[in-house]
């Protein structure tokens, strides 16, 4: 019994990863269940045993991505000295994860896919997380006095989401150099600190985690 359960868990994980790879490459509308089952190395019958529909499978991909991203966010919060450093760390880590993890990459692709009726879950989560952290940074005096938390969150979410979209066609957009350009430009406007350089350590922390 335990052997069968372990096999079922492995099959389900393989299907979620295979689905993520297909969704990330093809989008929701063009992805097919036969292509997903073939990539996972299982029969379509086995796929339907675990997932009732393509929508059900897309939901499983989004939930798996959400779990990974929330764990990543907690690590970034715990490792940073300030809220803004945590923000830079998390934004950089998330963009690097889009490159490395097909499940997270697929969740963002599904969020922006107009054929996905229940989409935008990852984008909504990211906007909420960034907004909450920027508000906390404002309360702790980390933002410049004339900076609106709402406006700052809007700019950061739009920029990072744009990097993800552009990176789907050209991975150079998800490079450390481009991330450094973004934050070097944004931080002097955002922070009350006369020296925004320490916040950039979040990029280095994100890169170090990826290479561990």
């Amino acid at each position: 019994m335990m052997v069968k359960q372990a096999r079922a868990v492995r099959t389900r994980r393989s299907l979620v990863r295979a689905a993520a790879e297909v969704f990330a490459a093809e989008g929701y509308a063009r992805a097919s269940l036969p292509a997903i089952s073939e990539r996972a190395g299982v029969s379509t019958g086995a796929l339907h045993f675990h997932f009732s529909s393509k929508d059900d499978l897309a939901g499983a991909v989004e939930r798996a991505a959400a779990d990974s991203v929330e764990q990543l966010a907690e690590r970034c919060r715990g490792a940073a000295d300030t809220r803004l450093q945590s923000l830079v760390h998390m934004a950089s880590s998330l963009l690097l994860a889009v490159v490395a993890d097909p499940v997270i990459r697929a969740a963002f692709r599904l969020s922006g896919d107009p054929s996905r009726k229940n989409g935008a879950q990852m984008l909504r989560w990211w906007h909420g997380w960034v907004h909450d952290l920027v508000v906390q940074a404002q309360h702790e005096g980390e933002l410049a006095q004339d900076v609106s938390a709402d406006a700052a969150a809007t700019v950061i979410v739009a920029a990072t989401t744009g990097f993800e979209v552009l990176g789907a066609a050209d991975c150079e957009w998800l490079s450390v150099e481009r991330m450094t350009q973004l934050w070097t430009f944004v931080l002097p406007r955002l922070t009350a600190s006369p020296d925004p350089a320490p916040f950039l350590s979040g990029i280095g922390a994100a890169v170090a985690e990826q290479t561990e």
Side-chain angles (χ1 to χ4, degrees):
M1 184 66 177
M2 291 182 64
V3 172
K4 288 184 178 180
Q5 289 176 339
R7 187 183 301 120
V9 169
R10 287 196 300 271
T11 299
R12 186 178 177 88
R13 287 176 179 168
S14 295
L15 284 166
V16 169
R17 185 175 181 86
E21 291 170 351
V22 174
F23 287 140
E26 303 292 338
Y28 182 76
R30 294 180 60 188
S32 70
L33 294 182
I36 292 169
S37 61
E38 182 179 358
R39 184 178 287 263
V42 303
S43 67
T44 54
L47 185 153
H48 284 291
F49 175 80
H50 290 280
F51 301 100
S52 60
S53 64
K54 185 165 69 170
D55 184 67
D56 186 22
L57 190 47
V61 170
E62 289 172 324
R63 288 190 295 274
D67 288 343
S68 295
V69 170
E70 287 173 5
Q71 291 172 15
L72 182 61
E74 286 303 311
R75 290 200 299 273
C76 291
R77 279 180 182 271
D81 296 325
T82 66
R83 301 299 184 186
L84 289 182
Q85 191 180 70
S86 177
L87 177 60
V88 175
H89 188 177
M90 178 58 186
S92 303
S93 295
L94 187 58
L95 290 174
L96 291 172
V98 166
V99 177
D101 190 334
V103 176
I104 294 175
R105 186 162 62 250
F108 273 101
R109 177 81 188 261
L110 289 167
S111 286
D113 194 324
S115 63
R116 174 86 170 121
K117 294 180 180 179
N118 299 317
Q121 292 184 32
M122 183 61 74
L123 292 179
R124 282 194 294 268
W125 180 90
W126 178 231
H127 181 263
W129 191 89
V130 171
H131 185 269
D132 288 349
L133 199 67
V134 171
V135 168
Q136 292 171 26
Q138 186 176 54
H139 290 164
E140 294 180 16
E142 295 182 29
L143 299 190
Q145 290 186 353
D146 62 342
V147 170
S148 159
D150 288 345
T154 297
V155 169
I156 293 165
V157 170
T160 52
T161 303
F163 270 43
E164 186 276 326
V165 172
L166 292 165
D170 180 0
C171 62
E172 176 63 24
W173 282 98
L174 301 176
S175 67
V176 173
E177 290 74 17
R178 290 296 176 94
M179 291 179 219
T180 302
Q181 287 175 347
L182 169 66
W183 290 108
T184 300
F185 183 81
V186 170
L187 281 168
R189 176 71 181 89
L190 188 63
T191 179
S193 170
D195 180 17
F199 301 115
L200 293 173
S201 65
I203 298 175
V207 173
E209 290 174 352
Q210 285 290 321
T211 57
E212 286 179 354

